[in-house]
Amino acid sequence: MNYWLMKTEPQHFSIDDLKSSKNATTSWEGVRNYQARNFMRDEMKLDDKVLIYHSTCKDVGIVGIAKVVKESHPDQSALDIKSPYFDIKSTVSNPRWFMVQVMFVKKFDRIISLKSLKEDKNLTTLHVTKKGNRLSITPVTYKEYNYICSLRV
DNA sequence: GCCAACGTTGGC
DNA sequence: GCCAACGTTGGC
């Protein structure tokens, strides 16, 4: 099993929005970065665990856990001309963008702030603590995942 | 709103 | 293939 961190902007789609979604499940649409796409398309497998991270907001950090419930399939929003994620270069026969579906697992009792992640000596290898990190989906090691879960319930 | 860091585009 | 220009991300 693999472990991941996925960023979301809570003013757009928060962990509470995920929890209150139908079946507590959402399609992770709108990723338009090749590296992040490749993780979803090639490496994210059923039941992989996902740390949900809130970015570009007042309280930045990891807020809870989700899991993969459907593996890679084409991101339909790229084909929808009315979608903000529309991409003219993506077609039905040759889709450019892929997504997975994730399901809410739990919300932590409180956020694990970016500040505390950065200060934690056990998490110096976590991608999100590194300067200039912009990738919206990053792999997390089993060790990092377990450690982060041990910080919160 | 600022700005550093990074990704993408396109001319050459 | 190089690289400058531009666009985006995201913390602060």
Side-chain angles (χ1 to χ4, degrees), chain A residues 21-134:
Chain A
S21 295
K22 189 185 177 193
N23 300 324
T25 296
T26 195
S27 292
W28 208 261
E29 65 173 27
V31 172
R32 296 291 178 269
N33 170 283
Y34 290 107
Q35 212 179 335
R37 177 205 68 181
N38 291 349
F39 283 139
M40 287 199 289
R41 188 190 60 187
D42 306 332
E43 297 189 44
M44 292 184 84
K45 298 301 172 193
L46 214 55
D47 216 35
D48 277 5
K49 299 301 186 287
V50 178
L51 298 169
I52 299 294
Y53 176 96
H54 282 176
S55 72
T56 320
C57 58
K58 184 167 159 288
D59 296 311
V60 173
I62 298 172
V63 290
I65 301 168
K67 66 178 179 181
V68 176
V69 291
K70 184 178 178 184
E71 292 178 6
S72 172
H73 51 293
D75 182 342
Q76 300 301 325
S77 69
L79 306 172
D80 178 2
I81 196 162
K82 294 194 291 282
S83 169
Y85 304 127
F86 175 71
D87 180 357
I88 198 163
K89 292 173 183 166
S90 192
T91 61
V92 175
S93 57
N94 189 21
R96 171 180 286 208
W97 303 109
F98 292 81
M99 61 186 181
V100 297
Q101 274 185 12
V102 300
M103 178 185 277
F104 175 86
V105 173
K106 78 165 87 163
K107 184 181 176 180
F108 292 143
D109 55 351
R110 60 207 155 85
I111 191 170
I112 305 173
S113 70
L114 177 59
K115 184 168 180 289
S116 67
L117 293 170
K118 283 180 172 172
E119 286 168 355
D120 197 315
K121 294 285 181 285
N122 295 296
L123 295 174
T124 54
T125 56
L126 197 68
H127 289 270
V128 85
T129 62
K130 290 179 182 164
K131 191 180 176 185
N133 161 70
R134 293 172 44 183

